[in-house]
Amino acid sequence: MNKTIHQQMFQQMQSKQLFEQAKQYAYEYADDALERNVYPSSQALNNLQQLHEPLPLTTTSPAAIIEQLHHIGSPATVSQIAGRYFGLVNGGVIPVSLAAKWLSDFWDQNTPLYATSPINSTLESVTESWLNTLLGLPKSTVAGFVSGSSMAIMCGLSAARYRLFQNHNWDINTQGFQGAPRIRLIAGKQAHGTVVKAASLLGFGSDNIEWVDVDDQGRILIEQIPPLDSHCLLVLQAGNVNSGAFDDFSHICKAANEAGAWVHIDGAFGLWAAACQSLKHLTKGIEYAHSFSVDGHKTLNTPYDSGIILCTDKDALINALQANGSYIVYGEQRDGMLYTPEMSRRARVIELWSAIKYLGAQGIDDLVVALHHRAVQFADELKRAGFIILNNVVFNQVLVTIAEPIPTQDKPHILQQITQHIQQSGECWVGTSTWQNQPVIRISVCSWATTEEDITRSVSAFKDARAAVI
Ligand SMILES: *Cc1c(COP(=O)(O)O)cnc(C)c1O
């Protein structure tokens, strides 16, 4: 007689064979990842078609599932754990964080309350306090562990919305927007798209954002910021997603704070400059802001699904995000769901905690400054090879164009072709962007695994691509 599905699953948990198989494949992948082409081959992409199968009606062998995932899936990944992926702002993976994630995958903790996972709750408290020390934030700052900066920005603006309305005797939670006093959302013209998304989702309306002009690096122009008062929510950024530039917090945050405005800092990747002795001048003055969004999965190189909302106004954050239900019993200890929009949530703090514990303050400093040094190296070598660098490389971002005189209307196409050539070489991966109405090639150095040789090798790919296209 065939075993029932339930009997099979008990057996799978006991025998561990499946996990051994997955481990074997994972190791094969890791061994290959450093040297393989960064982007999947067209063959690997074509093979993805095989996954379009009809819904299985009965059970499939688990070993076959894992095998299919490895044989079709692994080659169709973008090699992001190696050192030559420079798209988006991605970050590699800290080995001990990955190992900690593996272990805790078996725990499968749900984390809304201390009662549902004491270990998660404890690690959240510890990590919260470590983050405050690392980033130089007020001791009272609380942290919520969310999926990424998109969600962290939502949380920061939600807390701001709650507090600013409350200061005008309006409870946004119960009274909503209709008939509410006016709250003004003010941001630099180079604010990240997720800020605009949050403005839409939270009912501010993206058309109502008051945009402030920026300088040639994308920094908000202080003298263009309208006079601030207690109706204002100002969004600044630590790390422009193209140029890596930082707003001038020391001249803005304190004054905004004194005027009764709320300041949120989008520091998705750049806030980590605050943890680096030689770069922390970039974040001077952030301690006067009210909320901060930052990722673990970018600059800090934790595995994905790691964003953090930091808020100096605990009461506002909790009130903005809190949910109630007869079966939810908040305790004396930290209940994580008070600080996040989600209720059920995986124990993502584990990867962050293990990365910080492994690196320590000094290791984080070394990690961040190395990204900066590799970016500067990239820019220098490209300049020597006759490319033009359009931004001041203050952090990890480099914006590149070609020096050859090309008619303006042909430039987007030529740069696109060069970029495609680089991508198809498999040597490295870079994307394109627009900077001051010009098309550019955009580089983000954000993996600990990027070596000096990786940079030199990638610059060669740039030269080859230029030679092939022009
Ligand atoms: C990546 C990024 C975001 C969005 O963060 P996710 O973690 O991808 O949700 C927001 N702002 C900036 C500046 C970013 O670089």
Side-chain angles (χ1 to χ4, degrees), residues 348-416:
R348 57 170 69 95
V349 76
I350 290 167
E351 292 104 77
L352 190 57
W353 167 83
S354 51
I356 298 174
K357 179 153 174 141
Y358 168 65
L359 294 164
Q362 186 57 53
I364 291 173
D365 191 320
D366 293 348
L367 177 92
V368 175
V369 85
L371 300 179
H372 174 58
H373 288 158
R374 292 292 84 77
V376 169
Q377 181 198 344
F378 216 143
D380 287 346
E381 290 191 18
L382 283 170
K383 268 188 265 181
R384 255 179 275 139
F387 288 89
I388 294 176
I389 305 303
L390 294 165
N391 65 316
N392 299 335
V393 183
V394 295
F395 200 56
N396 67 326
Q397 300 290 117
V398 187
L399 300 175
V400 191
T401 190
I402 42 174
E404 287 72 8
I406 304 261
T408 315
Q409 70 274 16
D410 297 336
K411 218 166 175 183
H413 179 63
I414 299 280
L415 278 175
Q416 191 68 42

Side-chain angles (χ1 to χ4, degrees), residues 126-266:
V126 170
T127 306
E128 174 183 270
S129 126
W130 286 357
L131 286 169
N132 290 348
T133 309
L134 276 170
L135 300 171
L137 302 179
K139 278 224 166 14
S140 60
T141 308
V142 291
F145 300 95
V146 294
S147 55
S149 279
S150 304
M151 193 47 79
I153 291 168
M154 282 280 296
C155 294
L157 300 198
S158 299
R161 189 179 72 157
Y162 177 84
R163 176 58 69 219
L164 292 174
F165 276 121
Q166 204 69 25
N167 288 345
H168 292 275
N169 303 313
W170 189 267
D171 184 342
I172 186 69
N173 287 349
T174 55
Q175 294 175 279
F177 265 105
Q178 223 160 57
R182 183 149 172 261
I183 298 297
R184 299 162 60 196
L185 177 54
I186 301 161
K189 279 190 175 158
Q190 290 267 330
H192 195 266
T194 49
V195 172
V196 180
K197 172 159 49 182
S200 308
L201 283 166
L202 293 172
F204 288 107
S206 53
D207 279 358
N208 298 325
I209 300 175
E210 296 177 39
W211 295 111
V212 184
D213 281 334
V214 293
D215 68 9
D216 63 347
Q217 299 299 311
R219 291 172 297 214
I220 203 162
L221 286 168
I222 299 178
E223 60 281 9
Q224 299 285 327
I225 300 175
L228 299 173
D229 60 32
S230 62
H231 291 87
C232 297
L233 163 48
L234 176 65
V235 180
L236 300 177
Q237 64 185 349
N240 177 293
V241 80
N242 282 313
S243 70
F246 291 67
D247 284 330
D248 186 349
F249 309 112
S250 60
H251 281 99
I252 305 173
C253 293
K254 198 169 181 198
N257 196 326
E258 280 161 7
W262 182 291
V263 181
H264 177 86
I265 297 178
D266 170 10

